[in-house]
């Protein structure tokens, strides 16, 4: 993946590009570990929660959904 330049806002925040989030499979409620090592900031996904129900799920979970919610969604879409 290529490098991306982002500005830091007034509150010290930056936005992770969508391409990065997709590659790491992290969603809006994922915890990220941050450290500075040799002048480089390292971000590592730690803990995520299901976007549907809030259950803790492992990082890199497909669609950022727990297995139960995936099952419910599949059942709902197959009914119609």
């Amino acid at each position: 993946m290529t490098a991306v330049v982002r500005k830091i806002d007034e509150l010290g925040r930056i936005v992770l590009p969508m391409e990065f989030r997709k590659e790491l499979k992290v969603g809006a409620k994922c915890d990220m570990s941050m450290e500075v090592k040799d002048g480089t900031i390292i971000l590592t996904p730690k803990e995520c929660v299901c976007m549907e129900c809030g259950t803790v799920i492992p990082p890199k979970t497909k669609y950022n959904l727990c297995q139960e919610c995936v099952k419910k969604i599949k059942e709902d879409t197959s009914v119609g």
Side-chain angles (χ1 to χ4, degrees):
M1 182 163 289
T2 59
V4 176
V5 176
R6 292 285 191 256
K7 291 197 182 292
I8 299 173
D9 74 7
E10 310 79 41
L11 298 175
R13 299 175 296 196
I14 58 169
V15 174
L16 293 177
M18 184 183 302
E19 297 83 16
F20 289 14
R21 295 183 309 230
K22 282 183 179 179
E23 184 172 320
L24 293 171
K25 295 187 173 99
V26 294
K29 295 187 178 182
C30 290
D31 288 338
M32 300 290 287
S33 170
M34 295 179 273
E35 64 179 299
V36 176
K37 190 173 190 176
D38 299 324
T40 301
I41 299 170
I42 300 170
L43 299 172
T44 308
K46 285 297 174 193
E47 187 176 85
C48 296
V49 294
C50 174
M51 293 189 324
E52 189 70 23
C53 70
T55 302
V56 174
I57 56 176
K60 300 186 180 185
T61 301
K62 195 170 186 178
Y63 306 116
N64 296 317
L65 295 168
C66 69
Q67 291 180 343
E68 288 298 314
C69 287
V70 169
K71 185 177 174 182
K72 286 178 190 175
I73 291 169
K74 284 181 179 179
E75 289 172 357
D76 288 347
T77 57
S78 65
V79 171

